[in-house]
Amino acid sequence: MEKKIYIDGMFDADTAAKVQATVSAVSGVVKCVADPNKSQVFVEFDGDEGAINKAIESTGISILG
């Protein structure tokens, strides 16, 4: 499954890298690209979307949808 998750609070490349690394570590995530310019995280995964959302929020980023 592929999903774009819109977020608030990811303003620079360092924060994007942190989000990307955290989400990539979630079981079932095949690909993750965090883009601070678009305020979104693109995730390709086979598993639990809730775990991905928790991983994003654990970095201090808020999910918009």
Side-chain angles (χ1 to χ4, degrees):
M1 174 182 264
E2 296 179 349
K3 180 159 182 148
K4 290 180 185 175
I5 302 170
Y6 294 92
I7 55 167
D8 183 36
M10 184 175 65
F11 303 114
D12 58 31
D14 289 338
T15 305
K18 182 178 178 182
V19 170
Q20 190 166 307
T22 302
V23 172
S24 293
V26 173
S27 179
V29 172
V30 177
K31 180 179 180 180
C32 176
V33 178
D35 187 340
N37 297 320
K38 294 182 180 178
S39 294
Q40 74 180 21
V41 179
F42 172 81
V43 185
E44 185 178 332
F45 64 99
D46 182 28
D48 181 19
E49 186 177 335
I52 293 167
N53 292 342
K54 285 181 184 179
I56 292 170
E57 291 173 342
S58 77
T59 64
I61 303 299
S62 300
I63 296 173
L64 300 175

